[in-house]
Amino acid sequence: MSENKKDDVIKKVKELMDAPSCCADAREAAKNWLDAIGTDQEKSQAENLIAELEMDIMPVEGLIAFAESEAGAKVFGPEKTKQVAAHGREIQAAGAKYCDCAACAAVEVILEQKDAIL
């Protein structure tokens, strides 16, 4: 991978780690990959990172369904749940494939570059 592309991916991985909506497993996989850059573990940690991110990214349909569920109401609260579901429908209508929270937005960009880091 070119250094510019690698630098771009590193930047997005750091953004992912800083995102409040990033889960602990994704944060750990990201840290492990960053720590492995330049070592013989880089490829295996990149594979682990990509596998984790592919599991974690939230399709917009999943966001809407979660927001409208009992579990979503517990996480967001009754009013915020309606707002999140409405937002999900808005971004879906605009063509979004995934949730647009900071973590999912970073993951989407990273996954677009996955062939370059594997």
Side-chain angles (χ1 to χ4, degrees), residues 37-110:
I37 292 174
T39 72
D40 60 350
Q41 294 296 308
E42 183 174 353
K43 182 172 174 42
S44 66
Q45 291 302 324
E47 291 168 349
N48 291 341
L49 174 63
I50 296 305
E52 180 64 36
L53 300 184
E54 287 175 339
M55 285 190 303
D56 291 350
I57 194 164
M58 175 70 72
V60 72
E61 296 87 5
L63 171 66
I64 296 165
F66 178 72
E68 293 177 334
S69 71
E70 273 187 47
K74 289 178 184 175
V75 170
F76 299 121
E79 286 305 310
K80 185 73 172 173
T81 294
K82 294 174 190 172
Q83 293 170 0
V84 172
H87 175 73
R89 282 191 278 286
E90 287 172 19
I91 64 172
Q92 184 179 42
K97 186 174 178 181
Y98 299 106
C99 169
D100 64 346
C101 73
C104 286
V107 169
E108 186 172 10
V109 173
I110 296 164

Short mmCIF file of all heavy atoms in Angstrom, two decimals, residues 37-110:
data_model
loop_
_atom_site.label_atom_id
_atom_site.label_comp_id
_atom_site.label_asym_id
_atom_site.label_seq_id
_atom_site.Cartn_x
_atom_site.Cartn_y
_atom_site.Cartn_z
N ILE A 37 1.90 -2.39 13.21
CA ILE A 37 2.40 -1.83 11.96
C ILE A 37 3.93 -1.88 11.96
O ILE A 37 4.58 -1.48 12.91
CB ILE A 37 1.89 -0.39 11.74
CG1 ILE A 37 0.38 -0.42 11.49
CG2 ILE A 37 2.61 0.30 10.59
CD1 ILE A 37 -0.27 0.95 11.40
N GLY A 38 4.45 -2.42 10.86
CA GLY A 38 5.89 -2.53 10.71
C GLY A 38 6.49 -3.78 11.33
O GLY A 38 7.70 -3.96 11.31
N THR A 39 5.64 -4.65 11.88
CA THR A 39 6.12 -5.89 12.48
C THR A 39 5.62 -7.07 11.66
O THR A 39 4.80 -6.90 10.74
CB THR A 39 5.63 -6.05 13.93
OG1 THR A 39 4.23 -6.36 13.92
CG2 THR A 39 5.89 -4.79 14.77
N ASP A 40 6.06 -8.27 12.03
CA ASP A 40 5.60 -9.46 11.33
C ASP A 40 4.14 -9.80 11.69
O ASP A 40 3.56 -10.70 11.10
CB ASP A 40 6.52 -10.65 11.60
CG ASP A 40 6.61 -11.03 13.07
OD1 ASP A 40 6.11 -10.28 13.93
OD2 ASP A 40 7.19 -12.09 13.36
N GLN A 41 3.56 -9.09 12.63
CA GLN A 41 2.16 -9.30 13.02
C GLN A 41 1.19 -8.36 12.30
O GLN A 41 -0.03 -8.48 12.48
CB GLN A 41 2.01 -9.10 14.54
CG GLN A 41 2.74 -10.13 15.37
CD GLN A 41 2.14 -11.50 15.13
OE1 GLN A 41 0.93 -11.69 15.25
NE2 GLN A 41 2.98 -12.46 14.80
N GLU A 42 1.71 -7.46 11.49
CA GLU A 42 0.85 -6.45 10.85
C GLU A 42 -0.27 -7.09 10.03
O GLU A 42 -1.44 -6.71 10.16
CB GLU A 42 1.67 -5.51 9.98
CG GLU A 42 0.85 -4.42 9.35
CD GLU A 42 1.66 -3.38 8.61
OE1 GLU A 42 2.91 -3.41 8.66
OE2 GLU A 42 1.04 -2.52 7.98
N LYS A 43 0.05 -8.06 9.17
CA LYS A 43 -0.97 -8.67 8.30
C LYS A 43 -2.03 -9.40 9.12
O LYS A 43 -3.23 -9.22 8.88
CB LYS A 43 -0.31 -9.62 7.31
CG LYS A 43 -1.32 -10.25 6.35
CD LYS A 43 -0.65 -11.02 5.25
CE LYS A 43 -1.57 -11.79 4.35
NZ LYS A 43 -2.77 -11.22 3.92
N SER A 44 -1.61 -10.18 10.11
CA SER A 44 -2.60 -10.92 10.89
C SER A 44 -3.48 -9.96 11.71
O SER A 44 -4.68 -10.18 11.85
CB SER A 44 -1.94 -11.97 11.79
OG SER A 44 -1.16 -11.36 12.78
N GLN A 45 -2.89 -8.89 12.21
CA GLN A 45 -3.69 -7.92 12.96
C GLN A 45 -4.61 -7.13 12.05
O GLN A 45 -5.71 -6.75 12.44
CB GLN A 45 -2.78 -7.00 13.79
CG GLN A 45 -2.09 -7.70 14.94
CD GLN A 45 -3.07 -8.35 15.91
OE1 GLN A 45 -4.15 -7.84 16.19
NE2 GLN A 45 -2.69 -9.50 16.44
N ALA A 46 -4.17 -6.90 10.81
CA ALA A 46 -5.05 -6.24 9.83
C ALA A 46 -6.25 -7.14 9.53
O ALA A 46 -7.39 -6.67 9.46
CB ALA A 46 -4.29 -5.91 8.55
N GLU A 47 -6.00 -8.43 9.38
CA GLU A 47 -7.08 -9.39 9.15
C GLU A 47 -8.05 -9.41 10.33
O GLU A 47 -9.28 -9.43 10.13
CB GLU A 47 -6.52 -10.79 8.91
CG GLU A 47 -5.78 -10.90 7.59
CD GLU A 47 -4.97 -12.19 7.44
OE1 GLU A 47 -4.80 -12.92 8.44
OE2 GLU A 47 -4.50 -12.44 6.32
N ASN A 48 -7.51 -9.38 11.54
CA ASN A 48 -8.37 -9.35 12.74
C ASN A 48 -9.19 -8.07 12.78
O ASN A 48 -10.39 -8.10 13.10
CB ASN A 48 -7.52 -9.45 14.01
CG ASN A 48 -6.89 -10.81 14.19
OD1 ASN A 48 -7.31 -11.80 13.60
ND2 ASN A 48 -5.86 -10.86 15.02
N LEU A 49 -8.56 -6.96 12.45
CA LEU A 49 -9.26 -5.67 12.46
C LEU A 49 -10.41 -5.68 11.45
O LEU A 49 -11.55 -5.33 11.80
CB LEU A 49 -8.29 -4.53 12.14
CG LEU A 49 -8.91 -3.15 11.96
CD1 LEU A 49 -9.58 -2.66 13.24
CD2 LEU A 49 -7.86 -2.15 11.48
N ILE A 50 -10.13 -6.10 10.24
CA ILE A 50 -11.16 -6.11 9.20
C ILE A 50 -12.31 -7.04 9.60
O ILE A 50 -13.48 -6.69 9.45
CB ILE A 50 -10.57 -6.51 7.84
CG1 ILE A 50 -9.55 -5.46 7.36
CG2 ILE A 50 -11.67 -6.72 6.80
CD1 ILE A 50 -10.07 -4.03 7.29
N ALA A 51 -11.99 -8.20 10.11
CA ALA A 51 -13.05 -9.14 10.54
C ALA A 51 -13.92 -8.51 11.61
O ALA A 51 -15.16 -8.62 11.57
CB ALA A 51 -12.43 -10.44 11.04
N GLU A 52 -13.31 -7.85 12.57
CA GLU A 52 -14.07 -7.19 13.65
C GLU A 52 -14.95 -6.08 13.08
O GLU A 52 -16.13 -5.97 13.43
CB GLU A 52 -13.12 -6.62 14.71
CG GLU A 52 -13.82 -5.93 15.85
CD GLU A 52 -14.70 -6.85 16.68
OE1 GLU A 52 -14.35 -8.04 16.88
OE2 GLU A 52 -15.77 -6.39 17.14
N LEU A 53 -14.39 -5.26 12.21
CA LEU A 53 -15.15 -4.13 11.67
C LEU A 53 -16.30 -4.60 10.78
O LEU A 53 -17.37 -3.99 10.80
CB LEU A 53 -14.22 -3.19 10.90
CG LEU A 53 -13.09 -2.56 11.72
CD1 LEU A 53 -12.30 -1.57 10.88
CD2 LEU A 53 -13.60 -1.92 13.00
N GLU A 54 -16.09 -5.68 10.04
CA GLU A 54 -17.18 -6.21 9.22
C GLU A 54 -18.33 -6.72 10.09
O GLU A 54 -19.49 -6.65 9.68
CB GLU A 54 -16.67 -7.31 8.29
CG GLU A 54 -15.83 -6.74 7.15
CD GLU A 54 -15.20 -7.80 6.26
OE1 GLU A 54 -15.05 -8.97 6.70
OE2 GLU A 54 -14.84 -7.45 5.13
N MET A 55 -18.02 -7.20 11.28
CA MET A 55 -19.08 -7.64 12.20
C MET A 55 -19.78 -6.45 12.86
O MET A 55 -20.96 -6.53 13.16
CB MET A 55 -18.49 -8.53 13.30
CG MET A 55 -18.13 -9.91 12.86
SD MET A 55 -17.71 -11.01 14.24
CE MET A 55 -16.37 -10.14 15.03
N ASP A 56 -19.03 -5.38 13.08
CA ASP A 56 -19.54 -4.28 13.89
C ASP A 56 -20.32 -3.21 13.13
O ASP A 56 -21.18 -2.57 13.71
CB ASP A 56 -18.39 -3.59 14.63
CG ASP A 56 -17.80 -4.45 15.72
OD1 ASP A 56 -18.38 -5.50 16.06
OD2 ASP A 56 -16.73 -4.08 16.25
N ILE A 57 -19.98 -2.99 11.86
CA ILE A 57 -20.64 -1.89 11.15
C ILE A 57 -22.15 -2.14 11.11
O ILE A 57 -22.61 -3.26 10.88
CB ILE A 57 -20.05 -1.67 9.75
CG1 ILE A 57 -20.52 -0.32 9.20
CG2 ILE A 57 -20.32 -2.83 8.83
CD1 ILE A 57 -19.72 0.18 8.03
N MET A 58 -22.91 -1.11 11.38
CA MET A 58 -24.37 -1.23 11.51
C MET A 58 -25.07 -0.82 10.21
O MET A 58 -25.05 0.37 9.85
CB MET A 58 -24.85 -0.32 12.65
CG MET A 58 -26.34 -0.26 12.82
SD MET A 58 -27.09 -1.75 13.44
CE MET A 58 -26.56 -1.74 15.13
N PRO A 59 -25.65 -1.77 9.51
CA PRO A 59 -26.46 -1.40 8.35
C PRO A 59 -27.60 -0.48 8.80
O PRO A 59 -28.12 -0.60 9.92
CB PRO A 59 -27.01 -2.73 7.84
CG PRO A 59 -26.07 -3.76 8.38
CD PRO A 59 -25.61 -3.22 9.71
N VAL A 60 -27.97 0.44 7.95
CA VAL A 60 -28.98 1.43 8.33
C VAL A 60 -30.30 0.75 8.71
O VAL A 60 -30.99 1.22 9.63
CB VAL A 60 -29.15 2.51 7.23
CG1 VAL A 60 -29.84 1.97 6.01
CG2 VAL A 60 -29.87 3.72 7.77
N GLU A 61 -30.62 -0.38 8.07
CA GLU A 61 -31.85 -1.10 8.44
C GLU A 61 -31.75 -1.60 9.88
O GLU A 61 -32.74 -1.61 10.61
CB GLU A 61 -32.09 -2.29 7.51
CG GLU A 61 -32.34 -1.94 6.07
CD GLU A 61 -31.04 -1.81 5.26
OE1 GLU A 61 -29.94 -2.08 5.80
OE2 GLU A 61 -31.13 -1.40 4.11
N GLY A 62 -30.56 -2.03 10.27
CA GLY A 62 -30.34 -2.49 11.64
C GLY A 62 -30.46 -1.36 12.64
O GLY A 62 -30.97 -1.54 13.75
N LEU A 63 -29.97 -0.19 12.25
CA LEU A 63 -30.08 0.98 13.12
C LEU A 63 -31.55 1.31 13.39
O LEU A 63 -31.95 1.52 14.54
CB LEU A 63 -29.38 2.18 12.49
CG LEU A 63 -29.60 3.52 13.18
CD1 LEU A 63 -28.95 3.53 14.56
CD2 LEU A 63 -29.06 4.66 12.30
N ILE A 64 -32.33 1.33 12.34
CA ILE A 64 -33.76 1.64 12.47
C ILE A 64 -34.45 0.60 13.34
O ILE A 64 -35.19 0.94 14.27
CB ILE A 64 -34.42 1.76 11.08
CG1 ILE A 64 -33.83 2.93 10.31
CG2 ILE A 64 -35.94 1.89 11.22
CD1 ILE A 64 -34.15 2.92 8.81
N ALA A 65 -34.20 -0.66 13.05
CA ALA A 65 -34.82 -1.75 13.82
C ALA A 65 -34.42 -1.68 15.28
O ALA A 65 -35.26 -1.84 16.18
CB ALA A 65 -34.45 -3.10 13.23
N PHE A 66 -33.14 -1.42 15.54
CA PHE A 66 -32.68 -1.33 16.93
C PHE A 66 -33.33 -0.13 17.63
O PHE A 66 -33.82 -0.25 18.75
CB PHE A 66 -31.15 -1.21 17.00
CG PHE A 66 -30.65 -1.06 18.40
CD1 PHE A 66 -30.68 -2.14 19.29
CD2 PHE A 66 -30.17 0.15 18.86
CE1 PHE A 66 -30.23 -2.00 20.59
CE2 PHE A 66 -29.70 0.29 20.16
CZ PHE A 66 -29.75 -0.79 21.04
N ALA A 67 -33.36 1.00 16.95
CA ALA A 67 -33.95 2.20 17.56
C ALA A 67 -35.42 1.98 17.91
O ALA A 67 -35.89 2.52 18.92
CB ALA A 67 -33.81 3.39 16.62
N GLU A 68 -36.11 1.19 17.15
CA GLU A 68 -37.53 0.96 17.39
C GLU A 68 -37.80 -0.21 18.32
O GLU A 68 -38.96 -0.50 18.63
CB GLU A 68 -38.25 0.75 16.05
CG GLU A 68 -38.26 2.03 15.20
CD GLU A 68 -38.88 1.87 13.84
OE1 GLU A 68 -38.88 0.73 13.30
OE2 GLU A 68 -39.37 2.88 13.31
N SER A 69 -36.76 -0.85 18.82
CA SER A 69 -36.93 -2.01 19.70
C SER A 69 -36.92 -1.59 21.17
O SER A 69 -36.57 -0.46 21.51
CB SER A 69 -35.80 -3.01 19.46
OG SER A 69 -34.58 -2.51 19.97
N GLU A 70 -37.29 -2.55 22.03
CA GLU A 70 -37.21 -2.30 23.48
C GLU A 70 -35.79 -2.02 23.91
O GLU A 70 -35.54 -1.15 24.73
CB GLU A 70 -37.75 -3.52 24.25
CG GLU A 70 -39.23 -3.50 24.47
CD GLU A 70 -39.66 -4.64 25.38
OE1 GLU A 70 -39.03 -4.85 26.43
OE2 GLU A 70 -40.65 -5.30 25.03
N ALA A 71 -34.84 -2.77 23.35
CA ALA A 71 -33.43 -2.56 23.69
C ALA A 71 -32.99 -1.16 23.28
O ALA A 71 -32.26 -0.50 24.02
CB ALA A 71 -32.55 -3.62 23.02
N GLY A 72 -33.43 -0.72 22.13
CA GLY A 72 -33.11 0.64 21.67
C GLY A 72 -33.68 1.69 22.60
O GLY A 72 -33.03 2.69 22.90
N ALA A 73 -34.90 1.47 23.06
CA ALA A 73 -35.53 2.42 23.99
C ALA A 73 -34.75 2.50 25.29
O ALA A 73 -34.63 3.57 25.89
CB ALA A 73 -36.98 2.02 24.25
N LYS A 74 -34.19 1.37 25.72
CA LYS A 74 -33.38 1.37 26.95
C LYS A 74 -32.08 2.12 26.75
O LYS A 74 -31.62 2.80 27.66
CB LYS A 74 -33.10 -0.06 27.40
CG LYS A 74 -34.31 -0.78 27.95
CD LYS A 74 -33.99 -2.20 28.34
CE LYS A 74 -35.25 -2.92 28.80
NZ LYS A 74 -35.01 -4.32 29.08
N VAL A 75 -31.51 2.01 25.57
CA VAL A 75 -30.24 2.70 25.29
C VAL A 75 -30.46 4.19 25.04
O VAL A 75 -29.76 5.03 25.62
CB VAL A 75 -29.54 2.06 24.06
CG1 VAL A 75 -28.35 2.90 23.61
CG2 VAL A 75 -29.08 0.64 24.38
N PHE A 76 -31.43 4.52 24.18
CA PHE A 76 -31.61 5.90 23.77
C PHE A 76 -32.62 6.69 24.61
O PHE A 76 -32.58 7.91 24.62
CB PHE A 76 -32.07 5.97 22.31
CG PHE A 76 -31.11 5.38 21.33
CD1 PHE A 76 -31.48 4.33 20.50
CD2 PHE A 76 -29.82 5.87 21.20
CE1 PHE A 76 -30.61 3.79 19.58
CE2 PHE A 76 -28.93 5.33 20.29
CZ PHE A 76 -29.33 4.29 19.47
N GLY A 77 -33.53 6.00 25.26
CA GLY A 77 -34.63 6.67 25.94
C GLY A 77 -35.78 6.84 24.97
O GLY A 77 -35.59 6.80 23.75
N PRO A 78 -37.00 7.05 25.49
CA PRO A 78 -38.19 7.04 24.63
C PRO A 78 -38.20 8.12 23.54
O PRO A 78 -38.59 7.85 22.41
CB PRO A 78 -39.35 7.21 25.59
CG PRO A 78 -38.76 7.58 26.91
CD PRO A 78 -37.33 7.21 26.89
N GLU A 79 -37.78 9.32 23.84
CA GLU A 79 -37.81 10.39 22.84
C GLU A 79 -36.68 10.26 21.84
O GLU A 79 -36.88 10.41 20.63
CB GLU A 79 -37.79 11.77 23.50
CG GLU A 79 -39.10 12.14 24.16
CD GLU A 79 -40.28 12.05 23.19
OE1 GLU A 79 -40.23 12.60 22.08
OE2 GLU A 79 -41.29 11.39 23.56
N LYS A 80 -35.49 9.99 22.33
CA LYS A 80 -34.33 9.87 21.45
C LYS A 80 -34.50 8.69 20.50
O LYS A 80 -34.05 8.74 19.35
CB LYS A 80 -33.06 9.72 22.29
CG LYS A 80 -31.80 9.72 21.51
CD LYS A 80 -31.46 11.09 20.98
CE LYS A 80 -30.07 11.07 20.36
NZ LYS A 80 -29.73 12.29 19.70
N THR A 81 -35.17 7.64 20.95
CA THR A 81 -35.42 6.48 20.10
C THR A 81 -36.15 6.90 18.84
O THR A 81 -35.79 6.49 17.73
CB THR A 81 -36.25 5.43 20.88
OG1 THR A 81 -35.45 4.95 21.95
CG2 THR A 81 -36.69 4.29 20.02
N LYS A 82 -37.17 7.72 18.98
CA LYS A 82 -37.94 8.20 17.82
C LYS A 82 -37.05 9.01 16.89
O LYS A 82 -37.13 8.88 15.66
CB LYS A 82 -39.13 9.03 18.27
CG LYS A 82 -40.18 8.24 19.03
CD LYS A 82 -41.26 9.16 19.57
CE LYS A 82 -42.17 8.42 20.52
NZ LYS A 82 -43.11 9.32 21.21
N GLN A 83 -36.20 9.84 17.47
CA GLN A 83 -35.30 10.68 16.67
C GLN A 83 -34.29 9.83 15.91
O GLN A 83 -34.02 10.08 14.73
CB GLN A 83 -34.57 11.68 17.56
CG GLN A 83 -35.45 12.72 18.18
CD GLN A 83 -34.72 13.55 19.24
OE1 GLN A 83 -33.55 13.34 19.51
NE2 GLN A 83 -35.43 14.49 19.84
N VAL A 84 -33.73 8.84 16.57
CA VAL A 84 -32.74 7.97 15.92
C VAL A 84 -33.39 7.19 14.78
O VAL A 84 -32.82 7.09 13.69
CB VAL A 84 -32.07 7.02 16.95
CG1 VAL A 84 -31.20 5.99 16.26
CG2 VAL A 84 -31.25 7.82 17.96
N ALA A 85 -34.57 6.65 15.02
CA ALA A 85 -35.27 5.91 13.97
C ALA A 85 -35.60 6.82 12.78
O ALA A 85 -35.39 6.43 11.62
CB ALA A 85 -36.54 5.26 14.52
N ALA A 86 -36.07 8.02 13.07
CA ALA A 86 -36.39 8.97 12.00
C ALA A 86 -35.12 9.35 11.23
O ALA A 86 -35.13 9.42 9.99
CB ALA A 86 -37.05 10.22 12.58
N HIS A 87 -34.03 9.57 11.96
CA HIS A 87 -32.76 9.89 11.31
C HIS A 87 -32.32 8.72 10.42
O HIS A 87 -31.87 8.93 9.29
CB HIS A 87 -31.68 10.20 12.36
CG HIS A 87 -30.34 10.41 11.77
ND1 HIS A 87 -30.01 11.53 11.05
CD2 HIS A 87 -29.23 9.61 11.76
CE1 HIS A 87 -28.76 11.43 10.62
NE2 HIS A 87 -28.26 10.27 11.04
N GLY A 88 -32.46 7.51 10.91
CA GLY A 88 -32.11 6.34 10.12
C GLY A 88 -32.90 6.28 8.82
O GLY A 88 -32.34 5.99 7.75
N ARG A 89 -34.19 6.57 8.91
CA ARG A 89 -35.02 6.56 7.70
C ARG A 89 -34.59 7.67 6.73
O ARG A 89 -34.59 7.49 5.51
CB ARG A 89 -36.50 6.68 8.06
CG ARG A 89 -37.10 5.37 8.57
CD ARG A 89 -38.60 5.40 8.68
NE ARG A 89 -39.08 6.03 9.89
CZ ARG A 89 -39.03 5.48 11.10
NH1 ARG A 89 -38.50 4.29 11.26
NH2 ARG A 89 -39.49 6.12 12.16
N GLU A 90 -34.22 8.84 7.28
CA GLU A 90 -33.76 9.95 6.43
C GLU A 90 -32.48 9.59 5.68
O GLU A 90 -32.39 9.82 4.47
CB GLU A 90 -33.50 11.20 7.28
CG GLU A 90 -34.73 11.88 7.78
CD GLU A 90 -34.41 13.00 8.78
OE1 GLU A 90 -33.25 13.48 8.80
OE2 GLU A 90 -35.31 13.38 9.54
N ILE A 91 -31.50 9.04 6.39
CA ILE A 91 -30.24 8.73 5.71
C ILE A 91 -30.41 7.55 4.76
O ILE A 91 -29.77 7.49 3.72
CB ILE A 91 -29.06 8.52 6.68
CG1 ILE A 91 -29.25 7.31 7.60
CG2 ILE A 91 -28.80 9.79 7.48
CD1 ILE A 91 -28.03 6.96 8.46
N GLN A 92 -31.33 6.63 5.09
CA GLN A 92 -31.62 5.52 4.19
C GLN A 92 -32.24 6.04 2.89
O GLN A 92 -31.87 5.63 1.80
CB GLN A 92 -32.55 4.52 4.87
CG GLN A 92 -32.84 3.30 4.03
CD GLN A 92 -33.76 2.33 4.75
OE1 GLN A 92 -34.74 2.74 5.38
NE2 GLN A 92 -33.45 1.05 4.67
N ALA A 93 -33.18 6.98 3.02
CA ALA A 93 -33.81 7.57 1.84
C ALA A 93 -32.80 8.32 0.98
O ALA A 93 -32.96 8.40 -0.24
CB ALA A 93 -34.95 8.50 2.27
N ALA A 94 -31.77 8.85 1.62
CA ALA A 94 -30.73 9.57 0.89
C ALA A 94 -29.69 8.62 0.30
O ALA A 94 -28.73 9.07 -0.34
CB ALA A 94 -30.06 10.59 1.81
N GLY A 95 -29.86 7.32 0.53
CA GLY A 95 -28.96 6.35 -0.08
C GLY A 95 -27.90 5.75 0.84
O GLY A 95 -27.06 4.98 0.38
N ALA A 96 -27.93 6.10 2.12
CA ALA A 96 -26.93 5.56 3.04
C ALA A 96 -27.13 4.06 3.20
O ALA A 96 -28.25 3.57 3.27
CB ALA A 96 -27.03 6.24 4.40
N LYS A 97 -26.02 3.37 3.26
CA LYS A 97 -26.04 1.92 3.45
C LYS A 97 -25.84 1.58 4.94
O LYS A 97 -26.33 0.57 5.42
CB LYS A 97 -24.94 1.29 2.61
CG LYS A 97 -24.92 -0.21 2.60
CD LYS A 97 -23.88 -0.73 1.62
CE LYS A 97 -23.83 -2.24 1.67
NZ LYS A 97 -22.82 -2.80 0.77
N TYR A 98 -25.10 2.45 5.64
CA TYR A 98 -24.75 2.19 7.03
C TYR A 98 -25.12 3.37 7.92
O TYR A 98 -25.32 4.48 7.45
CB TYR A 98 -23.24 1.94 7.16
CG TYR A 98 -22.76 0.75 6.39
CD1 TYR A 98 -22.05 0.90 5.21
CD2 TYR A 98 -23.06 -0.54 6.82
CE1 TYR A 98 -21.63 -0.21 4.48
CE2 TYR A 98 -22.64 -1.65 6.08
CZ TYR A 98 -21.92 -1.47 4.93
OH TYR A 98 -21.51 -2.57 4.22
N CYS A 99 -25.16 3.08 9.21
CA CYS A 99 -25.32 4.11 10.24
C CYS A 99 -24.25 5.17 10.00
O CYS A 99 -23.15 4.87 9.52
CB CYS A 99 -25.13 3.44 11.61
SG CYS A 99 -24.97 4.59 12.99
N ASP A 100 -24.55 6.41 10.34
CA ASP A 100 -23.58 7.48 10.11
C ASP A 100 -22.97 8.03 11.40
O ASP A 100 -22.42 9.13 11.42
CB ASP A 100 -24.19 8.61 9.28
CG ASP A 100 -25.34 9.32 9.98
OD1 ASP A 100 -25.84 8.81 11.00
OD2 ASP A 100 -25.74 10.40 9.49
N CYS A 101 -23.02 7.23 12.47
CA CYS A 101 -22.34 7.67 13.70
C CYS A 101 -20.84 7.74 13.41
O CYS A 101 -20.36 7.22 12.40
CB CYS A 101 -22.62 6.73 14.87
SG CYS A 101 -21.77 5.13 14.77
N ALA A 102 -20.08 8.37 14.28
CA ALA A 102 -18.65 8.55 14.05
C ALA A 102 -17.92 7.22 13.85
O ALA A 102 -17.05 7.10 12.99
CB ALA A 102 -18.03 9.34 15.21
N ALA A 103 -18.28 6.21 14.63
CA ALA A 103 -17.61 4.91 14.51
C ALA A 103 -17.95 4.25 13.18
O ALA A 103 -17.05 3.82 12.45
CB ALA A 103 -17.98 4.00 15.68
N CYS A 104 -19.21 4.16 12.84
CA CYS A 104 -19.60 3.49 11.59
C CYS A 104 -19.07 4.25 10.37
O CYS A 104 -18.68 3.63 9.38
CB CYS A 104 -21.11 3.33 11.51
SG CYS A 104 -21.75 2.04 12.61
N ALA A 105 -19.05 5.57 10.43
CA ALA A 105 -18.52 6.36 9.31
C ALA A 105 -17.04 6.05 9.10
O ALA A 105 -16.59 5.88 7.96
CB ALA A 105 -18.73 7.85 9.56
N ALA A 106 -16.28 5.95 10.18
CA ALA A 106 -14.85 5.61 10.07
C ALA A 106 -14.69 4.18 9.56
O ALA A 106 -13.86 3.91 8.68
CB ALA A 106 -14.16 5.79 11.41
N VAL A 107 -15.49 3.27 10.08
CA VAL A 107 -15.41 1.87 9.66
C VAL A 107 -15.71 1.74 8.16
O VAL A 107 -15.02 1.00 7.45
CB VAL A 107 -16.36 0.98 10.49
CG1 VAL A 107 -16.49 -0.41 9.87
CG2 VAL A 107 -15.87 0.88 11.92
N GLU A 108 -16.70 2.45 7.69
CA GLU A 108 -17.04 2.36 6.27
C GLU A 108 -15.84 2.74 5.40
O GLU A 108 -15.53 2.06 4.42
CB GLU A 108 -18.25 3.25 5.95
CG GLU A 108 -18.74 3.11 4.54
CD GLU A 108 -20.05 3.84 4.27
OE1 GLU A 108 -20.51 4.64 5.11
OE2 GLU A 108 -20.61 3.60 3.18
N VAL A 109 -15.15 3.80 5.77
CA VAL A 109 -13.97 4.24 5.00
C VAL A 109 -12.85 3.20 5.10
O VAL A 109 -12.20 2.86 4.11
CB VAL A 109 -13.48 5.62 5.47
CG1 VAL A 109 -12.16 5.99 4.81
CG2 VAL A 109 -14.54 6.68 5.20
N ILE A 110 -12.62 2.67 6.31
CA ILE A 110 -11.58 1.66 6.50
C ILE A 110 -11.88 0.42 5.65
O ILE A 110 -11.00 -0.11 4.98
CB ILE A 110 -11.44 1.29 7.99
CG1 ILE A 110 -10.94 2.50 8.80
CG2 ILE A 110 -10.50 0.10 8.17
CD1 ILE A 110 -11.14 2.36 10.31
#
